Amino acid sequence: MGDQAKLSAGGADYDYPVLKGSVGPDVVDIRKLYGQTGMFTFDPGFTSTASCESALTYIDGDEGVLLHRGYPIGQLAENSSFMEVSYLLLNGELPNKEELEKFEFTISRHTMLHEQLATFYRGFRRDAHPMAIMCGVVGALSAFYHDSTDISDPEHRKISSHRLIAKMPTIAAMAYKYSIGQPFLYPDNNLSYTGNFLRMTFGVPAEEYEVIPAVEKAMDRIFILHADHEQNASTSTVRLAGSSGANPFACIAAGIACLWGPAHGGANEAALNMLKEIGTPDKIPHYIERAKDKNDPFRLMGFGHRVYKNYDPRATVMQSTVREVFEALKVDDPLFETALRLEEIALNDPYFVEKKLFPNVDFYSGIILSAIGFPTTMFTVLFALARTVGWVAQWNEMISDPGQKIGRPRQLYTGPTQRDYVPLSQR
Ligand code: ACO
């Protein structure tokens, strides 16, 4: 018998198996707890609860480590491509040359959207937030591609996964084009996944679009950095939605909705807006004081993370990417100086030190994306585009697990106990 954890409750002792992963904290398997004790555990926000078993991504937040299928994010960001990382997440191993070419070819053959979807866009107001459009259009994909929604069929799951990864850049670029009143551009499958996305976003039919290699590389790297992040809020949302047997397009739409929030995917938009509000480095101390004031709702956006209590390894890569993009585009945004200074001041302030609040991936990404030409409203859309591969890989992993059950958390009820209905005339 392996390790056991003991629980004493109501005068009785219970033993629960301790399960070991390949690395990281052990978990106490409490699946029998309710049956044996009549009690639930209470863990709002899942701060101590492993919701599933997964072999995709590992994070050690105290050490600032992020591994995809065992490979450190820094090595992937430096040497790999988003397509290669996507293959890795979906299949468990890095592809060889042939496998990569085949995968890229397959993805490129799914980049077009059903023509009727263009009419969908026209139903949105021009000033609609592109995330609102993403939620709607991605959810609507199930109405167009229902030939691949039998989730019990691995081949269907594979096709719908490829479709989602391939169509997301087209959907995102169209959301942008719609908001600025420019014509949609069809995909160009001679370009890379990322080059094609840049062209569909920034190109116009009247002119040849030239993909700038440094921008393509930076964008691809941003996609790699956002590809997966184990059981975060949006991924857990995708898993929970998928646990009922919902089709993958609906599940990913649910993930997009969750990602939209400012505490999650919306943080890079919020971080850049905050930097703009701060403006110059001399205003930083005022905002630092506000962030520390418990009576002030202001927080330093792009700072702090539920899991990382050390430097977010993705933020390190982002910081160096800012310089590369600035050099390639010959831009010099003073907000970068403000960001560097803010980071320095915060990292030397006891409040942030004691609470282990470090810059996260979103702190610098907004500066890069804005230099490339994206409006802030597109930031979360780019995150959703990149995270789609993580979502579908996690969803596939869950559906393939024979022990998979519908997700159904319990609660600690604190409302009124049973009482009798009072007729309206007596209230
Ligand atoms: N600025 C100021 N204080 C902060 C910040 C911040 N950015 N983040 C946390 N704190 C403080 C809290 O007030 C709290 O203080 P207390 O213990 O005195 O009450 C303490 O640090 C712990 O914070 P929690 O909110 O309990 O930590 P949690 O793990 O729940 O939150 C979160 C993590 C939501 C990311 C938080 O740090 C935050 O709101 N950061 C800003 C938003 C942001 O950048 N989100 C991006 C996350 S990365 C991503 O989604 C890709």
Side-chain angles (χ1 to χ4, degrees), residues 35-159:
Q36 290 177 336
T37 66
M39 285 190 292
F40 300 137
T41 53
F42 184 60
D43 185 19
F46 301 106
T47 51
S48 298
T49 298
S51 63
C52 62
E53 200 180 308
S54 180
L56 275 150
T57 294
Y58 173 73
I59 302 174
D60 182 337
D62 294 328
E63 296 298 323
V65 170
L66 167 59
L67 311 175
H68 290 318
R69 303 280 193 188
Y71 296 103
I73 190 67
Q75 289 183 24
L76 293 173
E78 193 58 41
N79 307 306
S80 188
S81 68
F82 180 65
M83 278 294 94
E84 197 176 62
V85 172
S86 297
Y87 183 98
L88 173 70
L89 286 168
L90 291 170
N91 300 291
E93 294 298 334
L94 284 168
N96 62 28
K97 193 168 172 290
E98 220 169 83
E99 287 165 335
L100 180 61
E101 278 169 11
K102 190 169 167 225
F103 181 68
E104 287 177 329
F105 179 81
T106 307
I107 295 297
S108 75
R109 286 305 172 275
H110 285 295
T111 49
M112 280 201 299
L113 278 190
H114 192 292
E115 195 62 22
Q116 216 176 323
L117 270 164
T119 348
F120 232 85
Y121 280 80
R122 301 207 161 89
F124 288 101
R125 284 173 54 136
R126 288 276 176 198
D127 60 357
H129 195 290
M131 281 300 274
I133 300 182
M134 291 289 277
C135 285
V137 174
V138 174
L141 290 181
S142 42
F144 288 85
Y145 301 101
H146 38 73
D147 59 333
S148 65
T149 51
D150 176 1
I151 62 159
S152 61
D153 182 338
E155 200 47 36
H156 276 215
R157 293 206 300 272
K158 195 162 136 189
I159 297 170

Side-chain angles (χ1 to χ4, degrees), residues 41 63 209 327 351:
T41 53
E63 296 298 323
Y209 179 78
E327 232 164 73
Y351 174 93

Side-chain angles (χ1 to χ4, degrees), residues 33 61 74 102 110 117 125 132 241 270 289 319 345-346 397:
L33 181 89
K102 190 169 167 225
H110 285 295
L117 270 164
R125 284 173 54 136
E289 285 318 306
Q319 205 200 66
I345 294 176
E397 185 181 60

Side-chain angles (χ1 to χ4, degrees), residues 226 229 262-265 267 291-292 294 298-307 309 312 314 351-352 355 357 360-362 383 387:
H226 287 89
H229 213 229
H264 192 5
K292 296 192 311 196
K294 284 275 158 261
F298 177 80
R299 279 188 167 199
L300 276 195
M301 297 315 285
F303 256 77
H305 197 276
R306 169 58 63 77
V307 177
K309 303 303 170 195
D312 180 341
R314 300 169 301 170
Y351 174 93
F352 293 90
K355 293 188 191 304
L357 297 169
N360 60 48
V361 65
D362 291 324
F383 192 159
R387 183 56 58 86

Side-chain angles (χ1 to χ4, degrees), residues 166-367:
K167 293 184 197 307
M168 213 50 107
T170 317
I171 294 172
M174 283 170 75
Y176 174 64
K177 285 298 193 201
Y178 186 74
S179 72
I180 57 168
Q182 286 188 0
F184 299 141
L185 255 66
Y186 289 120
D188 178 347
N189 292 340
N190 294 313
L191 299 174
S192 70
Y193 181 87
T194 303
N196 176 42
F197 170 63
L198 287 169
R199 182 186 154 274
M200 285 190 293
T201 307
F202 298 118
V204 285
E207 286 167 24
E208 194 72 22
Y209 179 78
E210 193 196 330
V211 180
I212 302 169
V215 172
E216 185 183 16
K217 190 166 159 236
M219 197 70 239
D220 201 71
R221 192 177 274 171
I222 290 176
F223 289 162
I224 294 176
L225 295 179
H226 287 89
D228 192 45
H229 213 229
E230 51 120 304
Q231 308 312 320
N232 57 83
S234 56
T235 303
S236 299
T237 301
V238 170
R239 279 188 178 256
L240 200 53
S243 76
S244 72
N247 75 69
F249 304 107
C251 297
I252 302 306
I256 294 174
C258 177
L259 186 74
W260 195 355
H264 192 5
N268 53 10
E269 186 174 342
L272 190 73
N273 288 339
M274 176 196 74
L275 288 171
K276 283 183 185 156
E277 190 186 324
I278 296 175
T280 46
D282 57 303
K283 309 262 174 43
I284 293 172
H286 168 67
Y287 284 90
I288 294 268
E289 285 318 306
R290 282 191 60 192
K292 296 192 311 196
D293 181 355
K294 284 275 158 261
N295 300 317
D296 188 330
F298 177 80
R299 279 188 167 199
L300 276 195
M301 297 315 285
F303 256 77
H305 197 276
R306 169 58 63 77
V307 177
Y308 293 115
K309 303 303 170 195
N310 198 327
Y311 214 95
D312 180 341
R314 300 169 301 170
T316 322
V317 184
M318 281 292 182
Q319 205 200 66
S320 61
T321 309
V322 179
R323 292 184 206 281
E324 283 171 32
V325 170
F326 276 21
E327 232 164 73
L329 297 177
K330 300 190 178 38
V331 292
D332 188 15
D333 187 346
L335 285 189
F336 184 40
E337 284 317 310
T338 307
L340 287 171
R341 189 81 192 105
L342 177 63
E343 177 185 336
E344 191 188 326
I345 294 176
L347 293 183
N348 286 301
D349 188 300
Y351 174 93
F352 293 90
V353 175
E354 276 156 28
K355 293 188 191 304
K356 300 194 169 132
L357 297 169
F358 293 87
N360 60 48
V361 65
D362 291 324
F363 189 62
Y364 288 107
S365 64
I367 298 175

